[in-house]
């Protein structure tokens, strides 16, 4: 399907009816987006892809050493199963769907993975808003592919959540009824084309910093989903960075537009990491279970430290007059985001909360015929297969 061509100096880009499918030259790349600049361009992920690869190797190792397998111990009493669960976590092995797990561990995972899946799906809206207005056909194709990747991430994550005994239908229903959350960041508007760049650089950047440690999460299906998602998010971050780089090296008006986007997205991106550690209700337990590997504040600091030099290369300013290197801490001091605003947005009172959820409800209603057709086809297919067997 499609044909291969060279776009922006990248060989082997597979194109089908004008839409970039994938870069064939990149062995692992299963995603839709592609790299649009040469090797002289600085990679903005701060080496995080290396960490993803290390986590992937650790997953393979865990599978080979195989401490997991508590499924075979289902007959044991609860105390033995609990000891085994603790041993698996302590040994940095993986809990798998059929293993015994405490009910609170299961619930925490369902809450976090579902919230994560909903974020990917709702997160398609702010950028989707710019697909028809992207400044060139090339930019449109890239953005279309990126937004499509987010849908794919949502699907991997719903599938991971389903291994915990909850159905995708139930999860979607909980989102639509406001009983489950999605990330605060997607309740902010995308006012200009530069916002698409800022989302890629800052929002995908924050997402990667948060998600790379999740590749080492103690629950196998979530950890495995995160490996692929992080690789794809790394592309997304680069495409956003490249948009901003182009704008900031363009006309004064384009540079001003890029700066304005950074000014508006910086603090909401810092808030994505959640409340400060002192106010985080779940962190302690989630870290003990090795679902979370770092606290909200640790990850936020890592993100700030990563962004400072990248902003310098972009020639843009992070909107924080108190941002400065602290020699003693070997980290940047920075101004905290407004956590009262975060709480207001989480509770439904952000600039776009109503619009986002209304749009999702409408899309769900309008997609009913597709779900019905798929279910009817599956039922027919089952009958056909049973008849043939
Ligand atoms: C770090 C945290 C978000 C929160 O830590 P926890 O230990 O779970 O909670 P903690 O005790 O600290 O907080 C107390 C309460 O506050 C809630 N809350 C906190 N922060 C937020 C917030 N920002 N927004 C909304 N709610 C928030 C939290 O749920 C809890 O409420 P609950 O008790 O449930 O009612 C964690 O769940 C996590 O790592 N999730 C996985 C990553 C993930 O979901 N990424 C998604 C974005 S990336 C993406 O989509 C990619 C993309 C890029 C571009 C375009 C499209 C897509």
């Amino acid at each position: 399907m499609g044909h291969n061509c060279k776009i922006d100096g990248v060989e082997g880009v597979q194109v089908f009816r004008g839409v970039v499918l994938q870069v064939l030259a990149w062995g692992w790349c299963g995603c839709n987006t592609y790299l649009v600049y040469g090797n002289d361009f600085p990679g903005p992920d701060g080496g995080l892809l290396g960490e993803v690869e290390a986590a992937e190797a650790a997953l393979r190792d865990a599978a080979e050493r195989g401490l997991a397998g508590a499924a075979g111990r289902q007959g044991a009493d609860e105390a033995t199963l609990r000891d085994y669960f603790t041993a698996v976590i302590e040994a940095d092995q993986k809990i798998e769907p059929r293993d015994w797990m405490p009910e609170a561990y299961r619930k925490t995972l369902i809450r976090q993975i579902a919230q994560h899946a909903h974020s990917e799906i709702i997160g398609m809206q702010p950028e989707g808003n710019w697909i028809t207005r992207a400044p060139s056909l090339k930019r449109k194709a890239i953005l279309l592919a990126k937004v499509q990747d987010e849908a794919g991430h949502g699907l991997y994550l719903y599938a991971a959540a389903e291994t915990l005994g909850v159905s995708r239908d139930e999860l979607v229903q909980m989102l639509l009824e406001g009983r489950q959350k999605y990330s605060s960041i997607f309740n902010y508007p995308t006012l200009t084309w530069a916002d698409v760049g800022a989302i890629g650089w800052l929002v995908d950047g924050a997402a990667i910093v948060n998600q790379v440690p999740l590749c080492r999460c103690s629950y196998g299906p979530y950890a495995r989903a995160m490996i692929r998602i992080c690789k794809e998010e790394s592309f997304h971050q680069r495409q956003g960075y490249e948009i901003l780089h182009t704008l900031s090296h363009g006309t004064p008006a384009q540079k001003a537009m890029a700066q304005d986007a950074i000014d508006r997205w910086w603090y909401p991106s810092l808030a994505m990491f959640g409340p400060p550690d002192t106010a985080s209700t779940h962190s302690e337990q989630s870290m003990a279970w090795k679902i979370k590997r770092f606290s909200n504040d640790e990850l936020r600091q890592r993100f700030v430290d990563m962004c400072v030099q990248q902003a310098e290369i972009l020639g843009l300013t992070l909107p924080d007059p108190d941002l400065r290197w602290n020699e003693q801490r070997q980290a940047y001091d920075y101004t905290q985001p407004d956590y009262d605003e975060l709480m207001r947005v989480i509770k439904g009172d952000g600039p776009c909360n109503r619009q986002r959820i209304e749009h999702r409800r409408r899309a769900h209603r309008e997609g009913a015929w597709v779900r019905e057709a798929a279910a009817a086809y599956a039922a027919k297919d089952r009958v056909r297969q049973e008849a043939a067997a």
Side-chain angles (χ1 to χ4, degrees):
M1 184 166 64
H3 64 278
N4 293 336
C5 66
K6 183 175 174 181
I7 294 184
D8 285 356
V10 180
E11 294 278 1
V13 178
Q14 196 187 9
V15 177
F16 176 65
R17 290 189 188 152
V19 176
V20 176
L21 296 180
Q22 58 179 329
V23 183
L24 295 179
W26 287 42
W28 54 261
C29 174
C31 71
N32 296 297
T33 39
Y34 69 105
L35 203 58
V36 287
Y37 44 81
N39 289 336
D40 54 334
F41 211 80
D45 70 23
L48 290 172
L49 262 183
E51 277 184 48
V52 176
E53 269 147 26
E56 197 173 13
L59 261 167
R60 274 199 301 271
D61 179 56
E64 275 164 24
R65 282 192 293 149
L67 225 190
R73 300 168 190 233
Q74 293 294 1
D77 60 65
E78 188 171 324
T80 309
L81 290 171
R82 189 175 291 276
D83 285 349
Y84 189 77
F85 171 84
T86 308
V88 170
I89 301 268
E90 276 172 7
D92 252 339
Q93 300 281 318
K94 300 296 161 200
I95 301 295
E96 295 297 338
R98 277 177 297 171
D99 294 343
W100 182 90
M101 61 187 83
E103 206 38 43
Y105 177 83
R106 184 190 302 276
K107 281 199 175 131
T108 295
L109 280 167
I110 292 175
R111 177 185 64 79
Q112 178 165 328
I113 301 173
Q115 177 173 319
H116 196 164
H118 300 328
S119 304
E120 300 282 358
I121 300 300
I122 297 272
M124 294 165 75
Q125 292 184 38
E127 289 165 290
N129 184 32
W130 278 90
I131 289 174
T132 54
R133 290 177 288 162
S136 70
L137 179 61
K138 184 181 82 177
R139 299 277 182 207
K140 189 195 287 265
I142 297 169
L143 185 59
L144 197 63
K146 189 207 169 195
V147 172
Q148 192 180 324
D149 282 349
E150 309 297 357
H153 296 174
L155 298 187
Y156 309 155
L157 287 161
Y158 283 128
E162 282 188 312
T163 64
L164 291 155
V166 61
S167 76
R168 186 166 134 198
D169 276 354
E170 287 172 80
L171 297 176
V172 169
Q173 212 48 46
M174 284 200 266
L175 168 70
L176 298 180
E177 289 169 11
R179 288 188 286 129
Q180 277 184 340
K181 298 184 166 75
Y182 60 88
S183 180
S184 51
I185 194 73
F186 303 117
N187 293 306
Y188 291 86
T190 38
L191 304 179
T192 69
W193 169 249
D195 287 19
V196 174
I199 291 185
W201 179 42
L202 295 175
V203 177
D204 283 286
I208 298 171
V209 169
N210 171 274
Q211 288 168 196
V212 166
L214 293 174
C215 297
R216 293 192 292 117
C217 155
S218 58
Y219 188 58
Y222 193 23
R224 286 189 287 274
M226 291 321 302
I227 301 269
R228 180 161 179 167
I229 291 177
C230 284
K231 287 177 176 177
E232 297 183 359
E233 298 286 24
S234 171
F235 266 124
H236 296 177
Q237 188 202 22
R238 285 157 191 246
Q239 68 87 34
Y241 193 74
E242 193 269 347
I243 290 174
L244 291 176
H245 194 270
T246 303
L247 289 174
S248 76
H249 292 80
T251 63
Q254 286 172 327
K255 184 166 185 180
M257 186 198 279
Q259 183 61 55
D260 171 63
I262 301 301
D263 291 349
R264 283 181 291 105
W265 286 90
W266 174 246
Y267 286 104
S269 300
L270 291 186
M272 275 175 77
F273 292 92
D277 293 351
T278 45
S280 167
T281 41
H282 302 293
S283 282
E284 196 182 335
Q285 182 59 73
S286 289
M287 285 171 77
W289 278 328
K290 296 188 182 167
I291 295 173
K292 280 168 93 158
R293 295 286 182 150
F294 299 98
S295 75
N296 298 355
D297 287 335
E298 284 170 330
L299 292 174
R300 199 172 356 251
Q301 180 73 57
R302 184 174 186 177
F303 176 66
V304 172
D305 293 347
M306 203 174 93
C307 286
V308 174
Q309 281 183 340
Q310 295 172 11
E312 277 167 22
I313 295 167
L314 285 176
L316 298 170
T317 310
L318 296 175
D320 181 356
D322 294 327
L323 191 65
R324 58 183 57 88
W325 180 250
N326 183 323
E327 192 57 38
Q328 207 182 356
R329 291 198 309 116
Q330 288 292 298
Y332 283 91
D333 290 335
Y334 65 98
T335 306
Q336 294 292 321
D338 179 347
Y339 291 114
D340 291 338
E341 176 179 320
L342 172 66
M343 286 306 143
R344 279 199 304 278
V345 176
I346 291 179
K347 287 189 182 131
D349 200 16
C352 300
N353 292 60
R354 284 167 204 77
Q355 179 186 331
R356 299 286 184 245
I357 205 70
E358 197 35 60
H359 183 87
R360 181 93 294 277
R361 285 187 187 131
R362 192 170 60 246
H364 192 70
R365 268 197 313 274
E366 289 173 0
W369 69 271
V370 179
R371 293 191 297 279
E372 279 161 25
Y377 178 79
K380 246 190 199 168
D381 202 44
R382 228 180 356 258
V383 172
R384 209 176 303 139
Q385 282 186 17
E386 277 165 15

